[in-house]
Amino acid sequence: MTQYLLDVNLQQVPDPYLHGSWRVVDRVLSQTDPTTPLAQATHLHLQDGHWHLETPAAPAKGQWTVERDSLLSRPYLQLHLASEIVTALVTRLRRTADGAYRTLVLYFQSGLELFLVHP
């Protein structure tokens, strides 16, 4: 049976829709350094203000928040790393009607784009 994915209105997306363990299924590096933890990520776990990143080299973790721009209310993830804050625009969020399967696309200021799926 084919599962249909519904686009979630990003202007009204509740923050908990972003929670969970996300698997990186594709990435576009653009001009991003391919050795950074985000560029090498295999999984991104987002839970109640804390995130954890799995990479082939070494895991990373920190805190995160959702910020929204004042004009269009678009959601941005603010990932707090040890030495910097990395911002990613949520460009697409899709889910099945029951929410069991979700896809997420994040576009970072560095040009990195991550395509994620849950579960």
Side-chain angles (χ1 to χ4, degrees), residues 88-105:
L89 174 64
V90 177
T91 59
R92 174 170 256 181
L93 177 61
R94 302 177 90 194
R95 65 190 293 259
T96 55
D98 65 1
Y101 182 81
R102 295 175 279 165
T103 65
L104 177 66
V105 181

Side-chain angles (χ1 to χ4, degrees), residues 66-117:
V66 176
E67 302 293 330
R68 296 182 185 278
D69 68 40
S70 60
L71 184 62
L72 298 175
S73 191
R74 294 175 297 194
Y76 290 84
L77 295 186
Q78 300 279 329
L79 301 175
H80 300 260
L81 305 171
S83 60
E84 64 180 325
I85 296 175
V86 177
T87 302
L89 174 64
V90 177
T91 59
R92 174 170 256 181
L93 177 61
R94 302 177 90 194
R95 65 190 293 259
T96 55
D98 65 1
Y101 182 81
R102 295 175 279 165
T103 65
L104 177 66
V105 181
L106 300 177
Y107 183 77
F108 292 83
Q109 288 175 320
S110 64
L112 171 67
E113 193 168 19
L114 294 180
F115 300 87
L116 310 161
V117 296

Side-chain angles (χ1 to χ4, degrees), residues 15-69:
D15 293 354
Y17 275 33
L18 302 172
H19 290 188
S21 295
W22 298 91
R23 181 173 49 90
V24 177
V25 293
D26 201 6
R27 75 192 83 236
V28 175
L29 294 176
S30 185
Q31 298 177 7
T32 302
D33 178 0
T35 64
T36 64
L38 282 169
Q40 295 182 357
T42 58
H43 289 83
L44 174 63
H45 308 280
L46 298 171
Q47 298 298 331
D48 298 325
H50 297 283
W51 63 270
H52 175 80
L53 189 68
E54 293 180 28
T55 69
K61 62 182 178 177
Q63 296 181 334
W64 70 287
T65 58
V66 176
E67 302 293 330
R68 296 182 185 278
D69 68 40

